[in-house]
Amino acid sequence: MPDVIYVDRARLSGAVQLARKAVSVRSPFPVLSCVRLSSGGGTLTVAATDLDREIEVAVPCRGGDFEAVLPARELAELLRLLPDGEIEVEKDGDGAVVRYAGNSAQISGFPADQFPQRPENARLAGFSTGAGDLRDALKRVVFAASDDPTRPAFSAVCVDLEGAGVRFTATDTYRLVTLPLEVRRFGEERKGVLLPKEAASDLAGILGALEGDGEAEVFFDQSGAEVRADGVRMWFRLVAGTFPPDTARFFDVPHSFAAEIPDRRGFESALRRAEVFAEYDKNKAPTVHLHFSGNTLTVSGGSDRGGVFEKIPAVVGEGGELRDSFNIKYLLDILEALKSESVLFKFCRDTGTNPYALITPSGQGEDGYRAIVLPVRK
């Protein structure tokens, strides 16, 4: 009996697209540009790895045991172009033959024993929560991590498992964000677990592509993290390093100015219009000028190309008046991550460090999210 399976084209195509996020594009080992297809018990598992992370996606199939290691790009393109319906995949030497609608395509592959195998995660600590809740938490924090690979601790999302929950924190030293999340914890307490920014972003995208909103389980050992959710398993190597200590203290510093902006979306819209004509600082960041006075926030930005000058409602509670300039993108990232309709904007001057703005949700939608952003200094 030949090694053959039958699987829905769309399901297999989606699984390959998700798994290939872990495919290596620079490795000198050709097998790392492949996905492994292996079946058993009515399930086909599509797996890929670049040795620093792995992704496995399970889909239902018919047929017996099957294993093939096939080039990810060619397989993904072929599956994308095939007609919908059930297809047949038959083992052919180290490759496979794909049969569809009375036609066939042959794909060359590699010996299955060349595909890397990694030992099971030790699962020393972890937590479980809704896949959607984990996705949202990562998306609302990961943008603040640095893109600089020479600063590994800053190019990561820090995870602290303590008490009954978990806290996600990220900083690129220009902004700092943190978010607590209620979860079901198990195993030992862990602090300072560093998830690589790229892996955290990919995980958020994978969780967003899942059907429904089932449970996500996250496990940690000494060097890696494993996530399981709705037929998907992702493992990635943790960042070796130490996250800046005591970042929580920056959120409790006494402020010298405070104001509430009742219309968060109106503030976002004003910033986007100011960005059209914004001048750029020495770091090529678009700059906006904020002026709080009385019950008004003036948002302005301009250059020799033009400018925007808008007034929106604001309730100044302390400090009387404030003028300062900020990176527009940094402000927009934070505002988009908030879930409240109104925003508290505080300014902390006497900090022992550079002054900064503290932005938090206000009223309905307050969930413990906190964000700090440094003003632009020319």
Side-chain angles (χ1 to χ4, degrees):
M1 181 71 180
D3 295 328
V4 60
I5 54 170
Y6 303 87
V7 61
D8 181 73
R9 193 257 351 145
R11 284 182 175 271
L12 180 55
S13 179
V16 171
Q17 291 292 353
L18 285 180
R20 70 183 296 207
K21 291 179 180 290
V23 166
S24 176
V25 294
R26 302 182 185 89
S27 174
F29 306 107
V31 73
L32 295 183
S33 66
C34 296
V35 293
R36 184 189 67 214
L37 277 59
S38 58
S39 70
T43 298
L44 174 64
T45 300
V46 181
T49 181
D50 63 3
L51 301 183
D52 286 323
R53 55 181 172 172
E54 300 173 2
I55 298 175
E56 292 181 354
V57 186
V59 296
C61 71
R62 296 190 300 114
D65 294 340
F66 175 94
E67 187 172 29
V69 176
L70 306 174
R73 184 179 68 83
E74 288 81 357
L75 179 60
E77 279 297 292
L78 175 64
L79 292 170
R80 184 179 66 85
L81 297 170
L82 293 183
D84 283 335
E86 188 175 71
I87 61 174
E88 174 186 313
V89 185
E90 181 181 349
K91 179 79 170 175
D92 181 30
D94 289 332
V97 175
V98 180
R99 296 189 174 89
Y100 54 93
N103 298 298
S104 65
Q106 192 274 335
I107 308 178
S108 299
F110 291 83
D113 59 6
Q114 290 188 12
F115 195 83
Q117 299 284 345
R118 188 187 57 81
E120 279 289 314
N121 191 297
R123 300 187 178 186
L124 301 177
F127 64 90
S128 63
T129 186
D133 293 334
L134 179 57
R135 175 198 64 222
D136 289 346
L138 291 172
K139 288 180 64 176
R140 296 173 67 193
V141 170
V142 70
F143 66 84
S146 173
D147 293 315
D148 185 355
T150 66
R151 309 169 75 199
F154 294 104
S155 60
V157 174
C158 179
V159 181
D160 293 317
L161 284 76
E162 53 185 345
V166 61
R167 177 174 293 275
F168 301 92
T169 307
T171 182
D172 59 3
T173 71
Y174 297 100
R175 50 192 170 169
L176 168 67
V177 301
T178 190
L179 175 67
L181 182 65
E182 292 185 5
V183 300
R184 291 161 292 283
R185 275 199 48 235
F186 41 82
E188 62 191 32
E189 286 199 351
R190 294 283 298 275
K191 291 188 177 182
V193 178
L194 300 182
L195 312 183
K197 179 177 183 177
E198 184 178 3
S201 296
D202 284 347
L203 175 57
I206 289 172
L207 294 173
L210 299 181
E211 298 178 359
D213 188 17
E215 196 81 352
E217 294 182 310
V218 183
F219 308 97
F220 300 107
D221 63 13
Q222 296 298 337
S223 61
E226 179 181 359
V227 182
R228 292 178 179 265
D230 194 22
V232 174
R233 185 188 73 86
M234 182 175 182
W235 174 90
F236 47 88
R237 198 179 306 279
L238 298 175
V239 174
T242 303
F243 198 73
D246 300 326
T247 55
R249 66 187 175 88
F250 291 108
F251 300 105
D252 297 324
V253 170
H255 52 272
S256 54
F257 173 88
E260 182 174 6
I261 305 168
D263 184 4
R264 172 177 63 88
R265 297 188 185 280
F267 186 22
E268 279 186 50
S269 297
L271 290 173
R272 294 190 188 282
R273 288 187 285 269
E275 189 176 18
V276 174
F277 300 105
E279 63 179 342
Y280 288 76
D281 67 8
K282 61 183 179 180
N283 296 316
K284 299 183 179 180
T287 302
V288 66
H289 309 291
L290 303 184
H291 178 201
F292 290 89
S293 180
N295 291 323
T296 302
L297 165 60
T298 302
V299 178
S300 60
S303 62
D304 55 6
R305 295 174 285 111
V308 168
F309 186 90
E310 295 193 19
K311 294 185 177 182
I312 59 176
V315 181
V316 175
E318 301 174 50
E321 186 173 4
L322 175 71
R323 293 177 183 266
D324 222 319
S325 303
F326 295 88
N327 181 319
I328 296 178
K329 184 180 184 307
Y330 289 176
L331 292 178
L332 285 173
D333 284 343
I334 293 168
L335 293 175
E336 289 171 4
L338 297 179
K339 293 190 173 182
S340 62
E341 287 303 314
S342 58
V343 178
L344 288 179
F345 187 101
K346 300 178 181 180
F347 202 78
C348 306
R349 287 193 178 92
D350 302 323
T351 64
T353 63
N354 293 324
Y356 55 82
L358 171 62
I359 302 173
T360 66
S362 176
Q364 187 173 2
E366 160 61 62
D367 56 3
Y369 189 88
R370 300 290 182 266
I372 284 171
V373 60
L374 296 179
V376 172
R377 290 292 177 252
K378 294 185 179 180

